[in-house]
Amino acid sequence: QHGAVSEQVAGEMALGALNCCAAQLAVSITGIAGPGGSDFKPEGRVCFGVAHQTKLLNVETQEFGSIGRDAVRQAARDHALRELTDMKTKQVTAMKDKMGELKAAKSTVDAEIGKLTERLVSTPEDTGVQSKLNDVKQQSKLIEGELTTIISEIQTVESRDI
């Protein structure tokens, strides 16, 4: 249905690479490096696919023009590497945004712990306050765990070479 030089095939190639390898990230390249081509698929047309884990993230077509076989191949390689670098940057940014949200939630929960602790000191017989305090402390521990995990994930992603 689709020719070898198509976004559909590039996407399937990237997903196929993930299915057969222990990788979490794959980029695929298919195109007409030259010499040759046609009016429908000119020389220099290259399709890319990018997949992460089990999800196709991006497919696109770039027209590099009739710059010669070696130049098309180099341009395609460079474009694919930029895609991977951009993806890594976006992934780290998203994780840091999530970390910021978790820190804000932790601050809110910690403030609630402080208020409940004060209430408990003034009304130690109030079992409802103690129960609520225990629940909020549990929330705080869960958030701390999530923060520890995301910090570790950020360090792992940042240390990966592209």
Side-chain angles (χ1 to χ4, degrees), residues 60-82:
E60 68 175 319
T61 300
Q62 292 289 313
E63 303 287 349
F64 295 112
S66 299
I67 58 176
R69 182 174 183 79
D70 288 341
V72 169
R73 292 175 70 189
Q74 289 173 6
R77 175 205 61 207
D78 293 346
H79 182 81
L81 290 173
R82 271 192 307 279

Side-chain angles (χ1 to χ4, degrees), residues 6-150:
S6 66
E7 290 181 356
Q8 292 82 0
V9 169
E12 289 299 318
M13 288 169 60
L15 288 170
L18 291 180
N19 287 333
C20 74
C21 302
Q24 291 185 359
L25 182 63
V27 62
S28 64
I29 303 172
T30 181
I32 309 289
S38 67
D39 290 340
F40 182 64
K41 292 187 181 174
E43 181 178 325
R45 176 174 291 170
V46 180
C47 300
F48 300 86
V50 179
H52 180 255
Q53 294 175 339
T54 60
K55 183 177 170 187
L56 185 61
L57 298 179
N58 188 43
V59 290
E60 68 175 319
T61 300
Q62 292 289 313
E63 303 287 349
F64 295 112
S66 299
I67 58 176
R69 182 174 183 79
D70 288 341
V72 169
R73 292 175 70 189
Q74 289 173 6
R77 175 205 61 207
D78 293 346
H79 182 81
L81 290 173
R82 271 192 307 279
E83 284 287 309
L84 291 174
T85 302
D86 290 349
M87 182 179 301
K88 177 180 173 179
T89 301
K90 288 176 188 174
Q91 187 178 16
V92 169
T93 299
M95 286 189 286
K96 286 183 177 179
D97 289 347
K98 177 67 175 174
M99 187 171 68
E101 292 169 12
L102 288 169
K103 284 181 176 181
K106 176 88 168 79
S107 179
T108 300
V109 167
D110 287 348
E112 182 69 12
I113 288 171
K115 290 176 186 175
L116 289 168
T117 301
E118 286 177 18
R119 256 180 78 192
L120 192 58
V121 167
S122 64
T123 56
E125 68 283 350
D126 190 342
T127 57
V129 173
Q130 182 63 55
S131 176
K132 177 73 174 166
L133 179 60
N134 290 339
D135 290 345
V136 176
K137 283 182 177 180
Q138 186 61 34
Q139 274 184 307
S140 180
K141 286 180 183 178
L142 291 173
I143 293 170
E144 284 176 14
E146 288 183 56
L147 278 168
T148 300
T149 299
I150 204 158

